[in-house]
Amino acid sequence: MRIIILTALCLCNSLPAMADDATTASDIRQMAGTFLDAWAANQSELGRRVTFSIGNVDSRLTLAPCGGEPTLSFASDPLTTSSPSILVRCSGDRPWRMYVTASVEVYGPALVASRPLTRGERLTSSAITSDEVQLNASRQGILTDKSVLQGMTIRRPVRTGTVITPDLLEAPHAIERGDHVIIVARSGSFSVTSRGKALGNAGVGEQVMVENLQSSRTLKATAVAPGRVEIPM
């Protein structure tokens, strides 16, 4: 996910004048606060709610005055961590840079389980609902579009209200053990088909052992579609 960068050019009316004076800890905290206020306003337009606090800045800090406007950016993505660092950078005649820690909580709508879900259960729209959650509480990411869950199954049991993250989802097997499959032996544009039986489970692109029902030979094939595998000739 792209880390949003807000330059201090848009904050020039709020920042302290530093052309002649040293940059102090108070100045750095004010800049970080203004930066986070602007970012929170941006997230509000996207339907998200943000709370934050700025970490400690050593009160003894004294940096050179910044001849131009300093630039602030997130050093880590605030949508995947609740403890992002903010990089404050001056590129004037006497350049400097420093990091400010922050505690950031971002709340917004995400998909959650509307009831307990069991391992291997195929998801349906009735099993999922949308609720406000802390979006950056997990590094796994969150999901907001129900359409991406279509046909997916759950890797492990989850409780009602659990946020649905990508690591909880598994694509169903295209081929399951015992399925009768079409075996395609291919060489360039030439191919020969035969019937076989799957000896294991596999998703599309995964390898699976199959038994050729005509020759009784066991072959290693690649699942290319439900009920269809390929082997090289």
Side-chain angles (χ1 to χ4, degrees):
M1 184 176 294
R2 182 175 63 90
I3 298 177
I4 297 176
I5 298 177
L6 302 178
T7 67
L9 292 177
C10 66
L11 309 177
C12 58
N13 292 328
S14 304
L15 298 180
M18 295 183 293
D20 301 316
D21 301 323
T23 305
T24 66
S26 178
D27 296 331
I28 294 296
R29 286 186 61 85
Q30 181 178 338
M31 285 187 282
T34 304
F35 171 78
L36 287 171
D37 276 334
W39 187 77
N42 174 271
Q43 293 301 301
S44 179
E45 294 177 357
L46 299 176
R48 298 167 181 161
R49 179 171 57 88
V50 176
T51 64
F52 65 84
S53 61
I54 301 168
N56 181 61
V57 180
D58 191 340
S59 60
R60 298 168 297 177
L61 176 74
T62 302
L63 298 171
C66 190
E69 296 293 350
T71 300
L72 288 83
S73 62
F74 284 113
S76 50
D77 189 350
L79 293 180
T80 59
T81 176
S82 59
S83 303
S85 294
I86 300 170
L87 172 60
V88 186
R89 179 167 46 196
C90 174
S91 56
D93 295 334
R94 301 168 63 186
W96 50 260
R97 54 189 289 166
M98 71 166 295
Y99 291 89
V100 179
T101 60
S103 176
V104 178
E105 295 182 359
V106 184
Y107 296 89
L111 299 181
V112 301
S114 60
R115 57 174 175 77
L117 303 174
T118 58
R119 179 183 176 184
E121 180 177 348
R122 191 180 295 269
L123 291 177
T124 62
S125 58
S126 63
I128 303 297
T129 189
S130 181
D131 198 4
E132 184 184 69
V133 302
Q134 184 179 342
L135 303 179
N136 60 345
S138 170
R139 292 181 181 272
Q140 303 299 329
I142 52 91
L143 300 170
T144 60
D145 184 1
K146 280 189 177 183
S147 66
V148 304
L149 305 183
Q150 186 173 359
M152 291 290 188
T153 58
I154 287 291
R155 286 182 182 272
R156 57 182 181 271
V158 299
R159 299 177 179 177
T160 301
T162 299
V163 178
I164 304 299
T165 54
D167 64 305
L168 288 176
L169 303 177
E170 186 172 51
H173 293 134
I175 293 170
E176 295 189 354
R177 181 183 179 89
D179 284 354
H180 283 246
V181 298
I182 299 297
I183 303 172
V184 181
R186 187 180 300 280
S187 177
S189 59
F190 178 74
S191 65
V192 176
T193 62
S194 57
R195 293 190 175 276
K197 182 179 179 180
L199 303 180
N201 303 326
V204 172
E206 295 179 340
Q207 291 190 327
V208 62
M209 300 302 294
V210 296
E211 178 188 357
N212 186 308
L213 295 179
Q214 183 175 357
S215 66
S216 297
R217 291 178 58 197
T218 299
L219 308 166
K220 180 183 290 187
T222 300
V224 295
R228 192 177 183 89
V229 301
E230 284 191 4
I231 59 173
M233 290 184 67

